[in-house]
Amino acid sequence: VCMTGGSAWRYEAAAGGGFWQRSDLVAKDDPKDKRACGFRPTDELRDDDELFHLLRLYHRQGSVLCCGGVKPDGQAQGLVTKHAFSLLQVRTARRAARSDQYFRFVQIRN
């Protein structure tokens, strides 16, 4: 449960590639730490297109979105490893004026 009372989860690249696996944030029963929590993997898998559309949906609903887990290609573009980034926008743009193909964009902020 997150601060707003709703659910929180994350998606990570699944082993073998091509899919993203969802994990749910769950509270741990720890009498010494009332804030103790962890992630429980689910069976839910999404491909790249499904995940992008899901991000767009949550962005349009005003959800708080963030990302991390920078790969070497991202480091070459100035992203920092072991750091979290806010997702500011999730958008598409047509490749050409009359095209039915789209570029996908995600704007992040340090």
Side-chain angles (χ1 to χ4, degrees):
V1 176
C2 59
M3 292 185 333
T4 60
S7 299
W9 53 85
R10 70 178 178 194
Y11 283 89
E12 292 183 285
F19 289 94
W20 297 84
Q21 182 176 18
R22 176 179 158 176
S23 294
D24 294 336
L25 181 67
V26 293
K28 292 184 178 179
D29 188 18
D30 184 347
K32 295 181 182 178
D33 184 0
K34 65 181 179 181
R35 295 182 188 94
C37 60
F39 285 95
R40 181 182 58 225
T42 68
D43 293 333
E44 182 179 321
L45 293 175
R46 296 191 182 265
D47 65 23
D48 290 342
D49 289 332
E50 291 172 323
L51 183 63
F52 183 81
H53 290 294
L54 186 65
L55 288 174
R56 278 184 56 189
L57 171 72
Y58 287 127
H59 177 257
R60 288 178 179 168
Q61 292 178 345
S63 299
V64 175
L65 302 172
C66 62
C67 62
V70 177
K71 295 183 178 182
D73 290 345
Q75 291 176 5
Q77 296 179 21
L79 299 179
V80 181
T81 58
K82 297 182 182 179
H83 190 75
F85 300 90
S86 300
L87 269 73
L88 300 178
Q89 295 186 67
V90 182
R91 306 263 175 141
T92 59
R94 289 186 187 271
R95 290 182 179 240
R98 296 191 174 153
S99 175
D100 61 352
Q101 296 179 330
Y102 293 86
F103 290 109
R104 298 182 298 194
F105 295 97
V106 177
Q107 181 185 15
I108 62 173
R109 179 172 190 247
N110 186 348

